[in-house]
Amino acid sequence: MAIEFNPIFDGMPNGPQKIKENFDKINEGRQWGPTQNATPSNGAQGAFTYKVRNDNQFVVITFWPTGIKTNPGRIVYLPSSITSRMLTFDFIGRTDNGGYGTMRVDGDTGKCTFTANDDGGIYIQQTVALK
């Protein structure tokens, strides 16, 4: 069943344009910025991406470090300009082998350290509120 919108806009100057402008106002600031890469250090391997929402109220972190149980010194850095504004610093993720792992973020330095109960990759995806 098709809906005919023309009668809705009859007699309404710039009706479709006004609706689009209002829709754009509603969505303003709710879009995410580009995906960026965190900085791996000490031989950290895996995927380490994050993106900040355009209104700077949230960051989404998607990390997949590998081999952490046998190499606990592998670390990654997020920009301290983000971590200093985070409201949460401890995260739990699922490992490839069905176990769990954790990530702790140092808010001052941006340093992310990992622990795991097995040597698979730890999948951590978290949306974090920023202050």
Side-chain angles (χ1 to χ4, degrees), residues 42 66-75 114 119:
N42 294 352
T66 59
I68 296 301
K69 184 175 181 182
T70 55
N71 298 286
R74 293 179 174 174
I75 57 175
F114 305 94
D119 230 9

Side-chain angles (χ1 to χ4, degrees), residues 82-119:
I82 293 172
T83 60
S84 64
R85 297 179 51 224
M86 289 172 58
L87 297 177
T88 305
F89 300 102
D90 294 300
F91 305 94
I92 297 175
R94 181 190 56 80
T95 67
D96 293 337
N97 301 323
Y100 69 93
T102 62
M103 177 178 79
R104 171 160 272 193
V105 178
D106 182 313
D108 294 328
T109 65
K111 179 179 177 182
C112 303
T113 55
F114 305 94
T115 58
N117 65 349
D118 64 47
D119 230 9

Side-chain angles (χ1 to χ4, degrees), residues 3-20:
I3 298 174
E4 181 57 49
F5 287 101
N6 286 337
I8 296 170
F9 299 121
D10 278 349
M12 199 178 185
N14 300 321
Q17 181 59 33
K18 289 198 179 289
I19 289 172
K20 182 187 178 317

Side-chain angles (χ1 to χ4, degrees), residues 27-70:
N27 286 312
E28 187 177 317
R30 297 185 192 268
Q31 303 301 317
W32 293 91
T35 298
Q36 300 177 61
N37 292 309
T39 305
S41 184
N42 294 352
Q45 298 174 351
F48 309 101
T49 62
Y50 67 95
K51 53 181 145 176
V52 179
R53 204 165 81 170
N54 288 340
D55 64 1
N56 288 314
Q57 296 298 307
F58 296 94
V59 61
V60 66
I61 299 168
T62 306
F63 282 3
W64 185 66
T66 59
I68 296 301
K69 184 175 181 182
T70 55

